[in-house]
Amino acid sequence: MTTHSQQQRREAMPGSSLQDSLVALSGVTKTFGAVRALAGVDLSVGPGECIGLVGHNGAGKSTLMQILAGTLRPTDGRYDLGGETVALSDVSVSKAQGVGIRCVFQELSLCPNLTATENVRVRHAALSGFGWRKRAAKLLTEALDDIFPGHGISPGATVGDLSLGRRQMVEIAINFIATESSHPRLVILDEPTSSLDQSVASQLLAYARRFVEAGGSIILISHILGDIFSTAGRIVVMRDGAVVADRPASEFDRASLVAAMGHVAEDDEDEALAHAAKARIGEPVVIARPPKQANGAAVSLHRGEIVGLAGLAGHGQTALLRLVQHAAYHRSRLAEVRGRIAFVAGDRQSDGVFPLWSIGENVTIRSLPALSRLGFVSSAREAAMEAEWKDTLKIRTPDMDDNILTLSGGNQQKALFARALGSDAEIIAMDDPMRGVDVGTKREVYERIRKEAGEGRSFLWYTTEFDELLHCDHVYVFREGRIVAELDRGELTEEKVLQSSFDEAAA
Ligand SMILES: Nc1ncnc2c1ncn2[C@@H]1O[C@H](COP(=O)(O)OP(=O)(O)OP(=O)(O)O)[C@@H](O)[C@H]1O
């Protein structure tokens, strides 16, 4: 832990207190043009440590990790690897990898047109020569078996054909592979559970604990505070580019951690839990039957309702949302949609963000007809909409004209929310949209969804987080592409959802 007194000692005896650490940063700053992403950060990581790194969207967590992993150079400060100071101009991925630092980034970095085995080869150059394919496949399968028992992933599968969750599992496994020339000593996991369903996420966190017990180090970034508390021995809190707390996890509870991040402590949780399911009145605005459903069951959504789609990831929920979206514009024998619909993508990289456009353009694109007069888009109205949503969802940027990719991951997701919520759509379909969104913003979005549902908007919401289902009026649990249970708000429990998700007989 980098306490104040350690800091003073470090200043008195340069380098001495850093010698035991695998990697240590002091006074590190990073600027991107006018944006100061890091404002003098100290962080050291020793062997056998699991550090939970938390903070609001745009606090600087990913930037800090990119510096640790050598993919970004600090603007200023000091960078020590294995007790040796590295000149800032020499900070590089190969130097960091040389001491065993690996990073699983938030935006997946596998090559989609290669197989999982070939991606292992890309990451581990040592796997070359005769028989590399066999060796790489074996190492990958062993790592997957160790971390995600029962994963069902074939090493010969093309990555682009795998679900987002499975791609994430391959990416994680690749980073834990040890070869003759390289062993993982510090693995950075930047929101690793955001695309995994709960049972797979638990496997990963259990593996992380075993890795740390065996002397390895982990930095875990997550907005799911339960993940942090169950896994980290030490918690580092970042706010506006600075570390504002760095203490043993046992010294925090949920409320003090949320407060340290700068969010208002939550006291309104019960409000969500207490609300009763809305009575279903009139005709549904959406009715959709999964293609594999044999018994006639269908998802129905009424005006002003929040309907949740639950179950393990990849069991047909996203496919149903796509079916509904398609049916809004084309005739379909499986789905009927009465009303304008907007979609909030979960896989923002491939489905949501227009990467060459500005933040503002990404927000307003769905609303251009409403912002136009006599066929011309009014730039004043466009700017007003951008300003309103920047403020409402606290999108952290100095300028909405900046490219969308300059935003942190969570802030990109907020822009997608703004696009849908700010549009004139009567129905909002959401594909596990809260991935990577910080605790404070999530609460504001939940509140907004409930308020808008109260005013008549309808929400069809696929989520992998059980707590989010508590905001729904009705929940449909999916398994193997079919609806296997329908639960009213009053009868919803985590146990029932899990039971239906796994129960063979239920199908
Ligand atoms: N390439 C870039 N160009 C301009 N600004 C950037 C760039 N990368 C990051 N930033 C800015 O740096 C700040 C920190 O971003 P960072 O991604 O580190 O945040 P984070 O804490 O990881 O957020 P999240 O929880 O949303 O992932 C943000 O204001 C972001 O907009």
Side-chain angles (χ1 to χ4, degrees):
M1 179 167 74
T2 315
T3 60
H4 212 67
S5 56
Q6 273 177 315
Q7 170 86 24
Q8 282 164 346
R9 243 183 301 139
R10 187 186 296 170
E11 278 159 12
M13 295 183 289
S16 61
S17 66
L18 306 179
Q19 271 166 8
D20 295 337
S21 58
L22 197 58
V23 57
L25 307 177
S26 357
V28 161
T29 62
K30 180 71 192 174
T31 49
F32 297 99
V35 176
R36 195 171 168 83
L38 297 178
V41 170
D42 295 345
L43 181 73
S44 74
V45 187
E49 275 204 288
C50 181
I51 299 175
L53 181 59
V54 297
H56 61 75
N57 292 134
K61 305 177 295 294
S62 300
T63 306
L64 184 62
M65 293 305 103
Q66 290 197 52
I67 286 177
L68 271 189
T71 48
L72 276 181
R73 289 202 177 115
T75 306
D76 204 356
R78 181 169 144 185
Y79 180 96
D80 290 33
L81 268 186
E84 302 278 324
T85 301
V86 178
L88 297 189
S89 55
D90 287 344
V91 171
S92 67
V93 178
S94 59
K95 274 228 156 55
Q97 284 184 348
V99 301
I101 299 178
R102 311 256 183 96
C103 189
V104 179
F105 290 110
Q106 213 178 90
E107 307 297 356
L108 301 184
S109 52
L110 300 176
C111 302
N113 51 343
L114 299 183
T115 65
T117 304
E118 287 160 353
N119 270 283
V120 175
R121 167 77 175 81
V122 171
R123 246 9 126 64
H124 297 281
L127 288 168
S128 58
F130 184 72
W132 71 263
R133 194 176 285 274
K134 216 169 164 187
R135 277 182 289 139
K138 183 168 176 282
L139 285 171
L140 177 63
T141 306
E142 282 169 0
L144 282 167
D145 288 349
D146 251 11
I147 308 169
F148 305 110
H151 52 84
I153 300 172
S154 154
T158 302
V159 165
D161 294 340
L162 297 174
S163 66
L164 183 61
R166 286 188 158 181
R167 268 183 273 159
Q168 177 82 322
M169 289 157 79
V170 170
E171 171 118 18
I172 290 167
I174 286 179
N175 279 285
F176 280 102
I177 285 176
T179 63
E180 294 111 55
S181 58
S182 162
H183 284 256
R185 292 179 66 200
L186 164 61
V187 180
I188 298 164
L189 299 169
D190 193 347
E191 293 182 41
T193 60
S194 57
S195 326
L196 305 178
D197 60 50
Q198 269 175 6
S199 56
V200 179
S202 307
Q203 289 181 329
L204 172 63
L205 298 180
Y207 180 80
R209 289 190 288 271
R210 296 202 297 276
F211 182 76
V212 167
E213 269 164 33
S217 307
I218 298 271
I219 298 181
L220 174 66
I221 301 183
S222 182
H223 292 292
I224 301 172
L225 300 186
D227 291 357
I228 297 285
F229 280 118
S230 72
T231 314
R234 185 178 137 202
I235 298 179
V236 173
V237 184
M238 289 189 76
R239 206 151 103 191
D240 298 329
V243 169
V244 292
D246 182 344
R247 297 203 296 273
S250 55
E251 290 184 14
F252 286 100
D253 58 18
R254 197 181 155 89
S256 61
L257 189 54
V258 168
M261 285 191 270
H263 301 307
V264 184
E266 24 191 277
D267 52 13
D268 57 350
E269 203 123 275
D270 289 345
E271 201 191 307
L273 309 184
H275 90 282
K278 266 199 193 101
R280 300 185 127 174
I281 305 165
E283 289 291 300
V285 290
V286 172
I287 182 139
R289 183 161 57 82
K292 286 191 186 171
Q293 197 79 35
N295 63 359
V299 168
S300 69
L301 172 72
H302 288 68
R303 187 169 181 277
E305 230 181 11
I306 308 173
V307 163
L309 307 182
L312 300 176
H315 277 246
Q317 304 92 332
T318 300
L320 186 104
L321 291 179
R322 287 189 188 289
L323 175 73
V324 168
Q325 201 194 13
H326 180 82
Y329 303 99
H330 307 89
R331 276 179 73 85
S332 163
R333 61 186 174 82
L334 294 170
E336 204 176 313
V337 178
R338 299 191 193 103
R340 291 182 297 277
I341 188 165
F343 190 76
V344 185
D347 186 355
R348 61 174 169 263
Q349 257 184 313
S350 61
D351 281 344
V353 153
F354 291 102
L356 298 178
W357 291 7
S358 72
I359 306 159
E361 286 165 332
N362 266 280
V363 170
T364 55
I365 174 66
R366 176 74 176 66
S367 304
L368 292 181
L371 299 171
S372 302
R373 204 171 276 166
L374 303 171
F376 292 99
V377 178
S378 152
S379 46
R381 291 164 103 192
E382 214 180 345
M385 180 179 175
E386 292 173 10
E388 182 197 336
W389 284 96
K390 176 176 189 283
D391 190 47
T392 306
L393 292 184
K394 301 190 180 61
I395 300 174
R396 283 176 193 256
T397 177
D399 194 341
M400 292 292 273
D401 287 335
D402 285 349
N403 179 272
I404 182 96
L405 298 183
T406 64
L407 289 181
S408 74
N411 280 295
Q412 289 180 26
Q413 197 63 33
K414 290 187 206 176
L416 297 190
F417 255 114
R419 184 193 297 164
L421 294 178
S423 75
D424 62 355
E426 295 144 328
I427 302 160
I428 311 273
M430 308 192 290
D431 183 14
D432 206 6
M434 301 290 182
R435 288 176 204 164
V437 174
D438 67 38
V439 184
T441 309
K442 266 185 190 170
R443 287 215 314 270
E444 281 166 27
V445 176
Y446 297 151
E447 213 170 289
R448 195 170 179 109
I449 288 173
R450 290 210 305 272
K451 177 172 161 283
E452 296 202 354
E455 290 162 6
R457 220 172 204 183
S458 313
F459 292 86
L460 194 53
W461 184 359
Y462 164 44
T463 172
T464 44
E465 274 188 57
F466 175 76
D467 288 353
E468 294 189 341
L469 295 174
L470 297 172
H471 297 273
C472 300
D473 300 299
H474 295 276
V475 170
Y476 295 87
V477 186
F478 279 64
R479 207 176 79 79
E480 293 180 355
R482 299 181 193 94
I483 300 164
V484 291
E486 180 182 348
L487 300 166
D488 211 29
R489 175 67 194 81
E491 47 185 358
L492 182 71
T493 62
E494 186 162 12
E495 206 185 345
K496 279 187 190 163
V497 172
L498 283 175
Q499 207 171 26
S500 317
S501 308
F502 285 103
D503 190 2
E504 296 286 340

CSV table of all heavy atoms in Angstrom, one decimal, residues 32-33 35-38 55-64 66 72 106 190-191 221 223 238 348 396-398 402 405-412 436-438, ligand 1:
chain,number,residue,atom,x,y,z
A,32,PHE,N,-3.9,13.9,-22.5
A,32,PHE,CA,-4.3,13.7,-23.9
A,32,PHE,C,-4.8,15.1,-24.4
A,32,PHE,O,-5.9,15.4,-24.0
A,32,PHE,CB,-5.4,12.7,-24.0
A,32,PHE,CG,-5.1,11.3,-23.6
A,32,PHE,CD1,-5.6,10.9,-22.3
A,32,PHE,CD2,-4.5,10.4,-24.4
A,32,PHE,CE1,-5.3,9.6,-21.9
A,32,PHE,CE2,-4.2,9.1,-24.0
A,32,PHE,CZ,-4.6,8.7,-22.7
A,33,GLY,N,-4.0,15.8,-25.1
A,33,GLY,CA,-4.4,17.2,-25.5
A,33,GLY,C,-4.7,17.9,-24.2
A,33,GLY,O,-3.9,18.0,-23.3
A,35,VAL,N,-7.0,17.1,-22.1
A,35,VAL,CA,-7.5,16.3,-21.0
A,35,VAL,C,-6.4,15.7,-20.1
A,35,VAL,O,-5.4,15.2,-20.6
A,35,VAL,CB,-8.3,15.0,-21.6
A,35,VAL,CG1,-8.8,14.1,-20.5
A,35,VAL,CG2,-9.5,15.5,-22.4
A,36,ARG,N,-6.5,16.0,-18.8
A,36,ARG,CA,-5.5,15.5,-17.9
A,36,ARG,C,-6.1,14.2,-17.3
A,36,ARG,O,-6.9,14.2,-16.4
A,36,ARG,CB,-5.3,16.5,-16.8
A,36,ARG,CG,-4.1,16.3,-16.0
A,36,ARG,CD,-3.9,17.6,-15.1
A,36,ARG,NE,-2.9,17.4,-14.0
A,36,ARG,CZ,-1.6,17.5,-14.2
A,36,ARG,NH1,-1.1,17.8,-15.4
A,36,ARG,NH2,-0.8,17.4,-13.2
A,37,ALA,N,-5.7,13.0,-17.9
A,37,ALA,CA,-6.3,11.8,-17.4
A,37,ALA,C,-5.7,11.3,-16.1
A,37,ALA,O,-6.4,10.7,-15.3
A,37,ALA,CB,-6.1,10.7,-18.5
A,38,LEU,N,-4.4,11.6,-15.9
A,38,LEU,CA,-3.8,11.2,-14.6
A,38,LEU,C,-3.1,12.4,-14.1
A,38,LEU,O,-2.3,13.1,-14.8
A,38,LEU,CB,-2.8,10.0,-14.8
A,38,LEU,CG,-3.4,8.7,-15.3
A,38,LEU,CD1,-2.3,7.7,-15.5
A,38,LEU,CD2,-4.4,8.2,-14.3
A,55,GLY,N,-13.5,3.3,-9.3
A,55,GLY,CA,-13.6,4.8,-9.5
A,55,GLY,C,-14.6,5.0,-10.6
A,55,GLY,O,-15.0,4.1,-11.3
A,56,HIS,N,-15.1,6.3,-10.6
A,56,HIS,CA,-16.2,6.6,-11.6
A,56,HIS,C,-15.7,6.5,-13.0
A,56,HIS,O,-14.5,6.4,-13.3
A,56,HIS,CB,-16.7,8.0,-11.3
A,56,HIS,CG,-15.6,9.1,-11.5
A,56,HIS,ND1,-15.2,9.5,-12.7
A,56,HIS,CD2,-14.9,9.8,-10.6
A,56,HIS,CE1,-14.2,10.4,-12.6
A,56,HIS,NE2,-14.1,10.6,-11.2
A,57,ASN,N,-16.6,6.5,-13.9
A,57,ASN,CA,-16.3,6.4,-15.4
A,57,ASN,C,-15.4,7.6,-15.7
A,57,ASN,O,-15.8,8.7,-15.4
A,57,ASN,CB,-17.5,6.4,-16.3
A,57,ASN,CG,-18.4,5.1,-16.1
A,57,ASN,OD1,-19.6,5.2,-16.0
A,57,ASN,ND2,-17.7,4.0,-16.2
A,58,GLY,N,-14.3,7.3,-16.3
A,58,GLY,CA,-13.4,8.4,-16.7
A,58,GLY,C,-12.4,8.8,-15.5
A,58,GLY,O,-11.7,9.8,-15.7
A,59,ALA,N,-12.4,8.1,-14.5
A,59,ALA,CA,-11.5,8.4,-13.3
A,59,ALA,C,-10.0,8.2,-13.7
A,59,ALA,O,-9.2,8.8,-13.0
A,59,ALA,CB,-11.8,7.6,-12.1
A,60,GLY,N,-9.8,7.4,-14.7
A,60,GLY,CA,-8.4,7.2,-15.1
A,60,GLY,C,-7.8,5.8,-14.9
A,60,GLY,O,-6.6,5.6,-15.1
A,61,LYS,N,-8.7,4.9,-14.6
A,61,LYS,CA,-8.3,3.5,-14.2
A,61,LYS,C,-7.6,2.8,-15.4
A,61,LYS,O,-6.5,2.3,-15.3
A,61,LYS,CB,-9.5,2.7,-13.7
A,61,LYS,CG,-10.2,3.3,-12.6
A,61,LYS,CD,-11.4,2.5,-12.2
A,61,LYS,CE,-12.5,2.4,-13.2
A,61,LYS,NZ,-13.2,3.7,-13.6
A,62,SER,N,-8.3,2.8,-16.6
A,62,SER,CA,-7.7,2.1,-17.7
A,62,SER,C,-6.4,2.8,-18.2
A,62,SER,O,-5.5,2.1,-18.6
A,62,SER,CB,-8.7,2.1,-18.9
A,62,SER,OG,-9.9,1.5,-18.5
A,63,THR,N,-6.4,4.1,-18.1
A,63,THR,CA,-5.2,4.8,-18.5
A,63,THR,C,-4.0,4.4,-17.6
A,63,THR,O,-2.9,4.1,-18.1
A,63,THR,CB,-5.4,6.4,-18.4
A,63,THR,OG1,-6.6,6.7,-19.2
A,63,THR,CG2,-4.2,7.2,-18.9
A,64,LEU,N,-4.3,4.3,-16.3
A,64,LEU,CA,-3.2,3.9,-15.4
A,64,LEU,C,-2.8,2.5,-15.7
A,64,LEU,O,-1.6,2.2,-15.7
A,64,LEU,CB,-3.8,4.0,-14.0
A,64,LEU,CG,-2.8,3.7,-12.8
A,64,LEU,CD1,-1.7,4.7,-12.8
A,64,LEU,CD2,-3.5,3.7,-11.5
A,66,GLN,N,-2.9,1.0,-18.6
A,66,GLN,CA,-2.2,1.0,-19.9
A,66,GLN,C,-0.7,1.4,-19.6
A,66,GLN,O,0.2,1.0,-20.3
A,66,GLN,CB,-2.9,1.9,-20.9
A,66,GLN,CG,-4.2,1.3,-21.4
A,66,GLN,CD,-4.6,2.0,-22.6
A,66,GLN,OE1,-3.8,2.1,-23.6
A,66,GLN,NE2,-5.8,2.5,-22.7
A,72,LEU,N,1.0,2.6,-22.9
A,72,LEU,CA,1.0,4.1,-23.0
A,72,LEU,C,2.2,4.5,-22.2
A,72,LEU,O,2.6,3.9,-21.1
A,72,LEU,CB,-0.2,4.7,-22.3
A,72,LEU,CG,-1.5,4.8,-23.0
A,72,LEU,CD1,-2.6,5.5,-22.1
A,72,LEU,CD2,-1.4,5.7,-24.3
A,106,GLN,N,-10.3,-3.8,-21.5
A,106,GLN,CA,-11.8,-3.8,-21.5
A,106,GLN,C,-12.3,-4.0,-22.9
A,106,GLN,O,-13.3,-4.8,-23.0
A,106,GLN,CB,-12.1,-2.3,-21.1
A,106,GLN,CG,-13.4,-2.2,-20.3
A,106,GLN,CD,-13.5,-0.7,-20.0
A,106,GLN,OE1,-14.1,0.1,-20.7
A,106,GLN,NE2,-13.0,-0.2,-18.9
A,190,ASP,N,-9.2,-5.7,-16.5
A,190,ASP,CA,-10.0,-4.5,-16.6
A,190,ASP,C,-11.4,-4.8,-16.9
A,190,ASP,O,-11.8,-5.2,-18.1
A,190,ASP,CB,-9.4,-3.6,-17.7
A,190,ASP,CG,-9.9,-2.2,-17.7
A,190,ASP,OD1,-10.9,-1.9,-17.0
A,190,ASP,OD2,-9.4,-1.3,-18.4
A,191,GLU,N,-12.3,-4.8,-15.9
A,191,GLU,CA,-13.7,-5.2,-16.0
A,191,GLU,C,-13.9,-6.5,-16.7
A,191,GLU,O,-14.6,-6.6,-17.7
A,191,GLU,CB,-14.5,-4.1,-16.8
A,191,GLU,CG,-14.5,-2.8,-15.9
A,191,GLU,CD,-15.3,-1.7,-16.6
A,191,GLU,OE1,-16.4,-2.0,-17.1
A,191,GLU,OE2,-14.9,-0.6,-16.5
A,221,ILE,N,-10.2,-4.4,-12.0
A,221,ILE,CA,-11.0,-3.2,-12.1
A,221,ILE,C,-12.4,-3.7,-12.3
A,221,ILE,O,-12.7,-4.6,-13.1
A,221,ILE,CB,-10.6,-2.4,-13.3
A,221,ILE,CG1,-9.1,-2.0,-13.2
A,221,ILE,CG2,-11.5,-1.2,-13.5
A,221,ILE,CD1,-8.7,-1.1,-14.4
A,223,HIS,N,-16.8,-2.4,-11.7
A,223,HIS,CA,-17.8,-1.5,-11.2
A,223,HIS,C,-18.8,-2.4,-10.3
A,223,HIS,O,-19.7,-1.8,-9.7
A,223,HIS,CB,-18.6,-0.8,-12.3
A,223,HIS,CG,-17.8,0.2,-13.0
A,223,HIS,ND1,-17.3,1.3,-12.4
A,223,HIS,CD2,-17.2,0.2,-14.2
A,223,HIS,CE1,-16.6,2.0,-13.2
A,223,HIS,NE2,-16.5,1.4,-14.4
A,238,MET,N,-9.8,5.6,-7.3
A,238,MET,CA,-9.4,6.8,-8.1
A,238,MET,C,-10.6,7.7,-8.3
A,238,MET,O,-11.7,7.3,-8.4
A,238,MET,CB,-8.9,6.3,-9.5
A,238,MET,CG,-7.6,5.6,-9.4
A,238,MET,SD,-6.9,5.3,-11.1
A,238,MET,CE,-6.4,6.9,-11.5
A,348,ARG,N,-20.7,-2.7,-27.5
A,348,ARG,CA,-20.6,-1.4,-28.1
A,348,ARG,C,-19.6,-1.4,-29.2
A,348,ARG,O,-19.8,-0.6,-30.2
A,348,ARG,CB,-20.4,-0.3,-27.1
A,348,ARG,CG,-19.1,-0.4,-26.3
A,348,ARG,CD,-18.8,0.7,-25.4
A,348,ARG,NE,-17.7,0.4,-24.6
A,348,ARG,CZ,-17.8,0.0,-23.3
A,348,ARG,NH1,-19.0,-0.2,-22.8
A,348,ARG,NH2,-16.8,-0.3,-22.6
A,396,ARG,N,-18.3,12.4,-19.4
A,396,ARG,CA,-17.1,13.2,-19.0
A,396,ARG,C,-16.2,13.5,-20.2
A,396,ARG,O,-15.5,12.6,-20.7
A,396,ARG,CB,-16.3,12.4,-18.0
A,396,ARG,CG,-16.9,12.5,-16.6
A,396,ARG,CD,-16.2,11.7,-15.6
A,396,ARG,NE,-17.0,11.7,-14.4
A,396,ARG,CZ,-16.8,12.4,-13.3
A,396,ARG,NH1,-15.8,13.2,-13.2
A,396,ARG,NH2,-17.6,12.2,-12.3
A,397,THR,N,-16.4,14.7,-20.8
A,397,THR,CA,-15.6,15.1,-21.9
A,397,THR,C,-15.5,16.6,-21.9
A,397,THR,O,-16.5,17.3,-21.5
A,397,THR,CB,-16.2,14.6,-23.2
A,397,THR,OG1,-15.4,15.1,-24.3
A,397,THR,CG2,-17.6,15.1,-23.4
A,398,PRO,N,-14.4,17.2,-22.3
A,398,PRO,CA,-14.4,18.6,-22.4
A,398,PRO,C,-15.2,19.1,-23.6
A,398,PRO,O,-15.6,20.3,-23.6
A,398,PRO,CB,-12.9,18.9,-22.6
A,398,PRO,CG,-12.2,17.7,-23.1
A,398,PRO,CD,-13.1,16.6,-22.6
A,402,ASP,N,-15.4,16.0,-29.7
A,402,ASP,CA,-14.3,15.1,-29.8
A,402,ASP,C,-14.8,13.7,-30.3
A,402,ASP,O,-16.0,13.4,-30.2
A,402,ASP,CB,-13.7,14.9,-28.4
A,402,ASP,CG,-12.9,16.1,-28.0
A,402,ASP,OD1,-12.6,17.0,-28.8
A,402,ASP,OD2,-12.5,16.2,-26.8
A,405,LEU,N,-14.2,7.8,-29.5
A,405,LEU,CA,-13.2,6.9,-28.9
A,405,LEU,C,-12.3,7.5,-27.9
A,405,LEU,O,-11.5,6.9,-27.2
A,405,LEU,CB,-12.4,6.2,-30.0
A,405,LEU,CG,-13.2,5.3,-31.0
A,405,LEU,CD1,-12.2,4.6,-31.9
A,405,LEU,CD2,-14.0,4.3,-30.2
A,406,THR,N,-12.4,8.9,-27.7
A,406,THR,CA,-11.6,9.5,-26.7
A,406,THR,C,-12.3,9.4,-25.3
A,406,THR,O,-11.7,9.7,-24.3
A,406,THR,CB,-11.4,11.0,-27.0
A,406,THR,OG1,-12.7,11.7,-26.9
A,406,THR,CG2,-10.7,11.3,-28.3
A,407,LEU,N,-13.5,8.9,-25.3
A,407,LEU,CA,-14.2,8.7,-24.1
A,407,LEU,C,-13.7,7.4,-23.4
A,407,LEU,O,-13.4,6.4,-24.1
A,407,LEU,CB,-15.7,8.6,-24.3
A,407,LEU,CG,-16.5,9.8,-24.7
A,407,LEU,CD1,-17.9,9.5,-24.8
A,407,LEU,CD2,-16.3,10.9,-23.6
A,408,SER,N,-13.8,7.3,-22.1
A,408,SER,CA,-13.6,6.0,-21.4
A,408,SER,C,-14.7,5.1,-21.7
A,408,SER,O,-15.8,5.5,-22.2
A,408,SER,CB,-13.5,6.3,-19.9
A,408,SER,OG,-14.8,6.5,-19.4
A,409,GLY,N,-14.5,3.8,-21.5
A,409,GLY,CA,-15.5,2.8,-21.9
A,409,GLY,C,-16.9,3.1,-21.4
A,409,GLY,O,-17.9,3.0,-22.1
A,410,GLY,N,-16.9,3.4,-20.1
A,410,GLY,CA,-18.2,3.6,-19.4
A,410,GLY,C,-18.9,4.8,-20.0
A,410,GLY,O,-20.1,4.9,-20.2
A,411,ASN,N,-18.1,5.9,-20.4
A,411,ASN,CA,-18.7,7.1,-20.9
A,411,ASN,C,-19.2,6.8,-22.4
A,411,ASN,O,-20.2,7.4,-22.8
A,411,ASN,CB,-17.7,8.2,-20.9
A,411,ASN,CG,-17.7,8.9,-19.5
A,411,ASN,OD1,-18.7,9.4,-19.0
A,411,ASN,ND2,-16.6,8.7,-18.8
A,412,GLN,N,-18.6,5.9,-23.1
A,412,GLN,CA,-19.1,5.6,-24.4
A,412,GLN,C,-20.5,4.9,-24.3
A,412,GLN,O,-21.4,5.2,-25.0
A,412,GLN,CB,-18.2,4.6,-25.1
A,412,GLN,CG,-16.8,5.2,-25.6
A,412,GLN,CD,-15.9,4.1,-26.2
A,412,GLN,OE1,-16.4,3.2,-26.8
A,412,GLN,NE2,-14.6,4.4,-26.2
A,436,GLY,N,-19.9,-1.9,-17.6
A,436,GLY,CA,-18.8,-0.8,-17.5
A,436,GLY,C,-19.4,0.5,-17.0
A,436,GLY,O,-18.6,1.5,-17.1
A,437,VAL,N,-20.6,0.6,-16.7
A,437,VAL,CA,-21.2,1.9,-16.2
A,437,VAL,C,-21.0,2.0,-14.7
A,437,VAL,O,-21.2,1.0,-14.0
A,437,VAL,CB,-22.6,2.1,-16.6
A,437,VAL,CG1,-23.2,3.3,-16.0
A,437,VAL,CG2,-22.8,2.1,-18.1
A,438,ASP,N,-20.5,3.2,-14.2
A,438,ASP,CA,-20.2,3.2,-12.8
A,438,ASP,C,-21.4,3.2,-11.9
A,438,ASP,O,-22.5,3.5,-12.3
A,438,ASP,CB,-19.2,4.4,-12.5
A,438,ASP,CG,-19.8,5.8,-12.7
A,438,ASP,OD1,-21.0,5.9,-12.4
A,438,ASP,OD2,-19.1,6.6,-13.2
B,1,LIG,N1,-6.9,8.5,-26.4
B,1,LIG,C1,-7.5,9.4,-25.6
B,1,LIG,N2,-7.7,10.7,-26.1
B,1,LIG,C2,-8.3,11.6,-25.3
B,1,LIG,N3,-8.8,11.4,-24.1
B,1,LIG,C3,-8.6,10.2,-23.6
B,1,LIG,C4,-8.0,9.1,-24.3
B,1,LIG,N4,-8.0,8.0,-23.5
B,1,LIG,C5,-8.6,8.3,-22.4
B,1,LIG,N5,-8.9,9.6,-22.4
B,1,LIG,C6,-9.6,10.4,-21.3
B,1,LIG,O1,-8.9,10.1,-20.1
B,1,LIG,C7,-9.8,10.1,-19.0
B,1,LIG,C8,-9.6,8.7,-18.3
B,1,LIG,O2,-10.1,7.7,-19.0
B,1,LIG,P1,-10.0,6.2,-18.6
B,1,LIG,O3,-10.4,5.3,-19.8
B,1,LIG,O4,-8.7,5.9,-18.0
B,1,LIG,O5,-11.1,6.1,-17.5
B,1,LIG,P2,-11.7,4.8,-16.6
B,1,LIG,O6,-11.5,5.2,-15.2
B,1,LIG,O7,-11.0,3.6,-17.1
B,1,LIG,O8,-13.2,4.9,-17.0
B,1,LIG,P3,-14.3,3.6,-17.2
B,1,LIG,O9,-14.7,3.2,-15.9
B,1,LIG,O10,-15.4,4.3,-18.0
B,1,LIG,O11,-13.6,2.6,-18.0
B,1,LIG,C9,-11.2,10.2,-19.6
B,1,LIG,O12,-11.6,11.6,-19.4
B,1,LIG,C10,-11.0,9.9,-21.1
B,1,LIG,O13,-11.9,10.7,-21.8
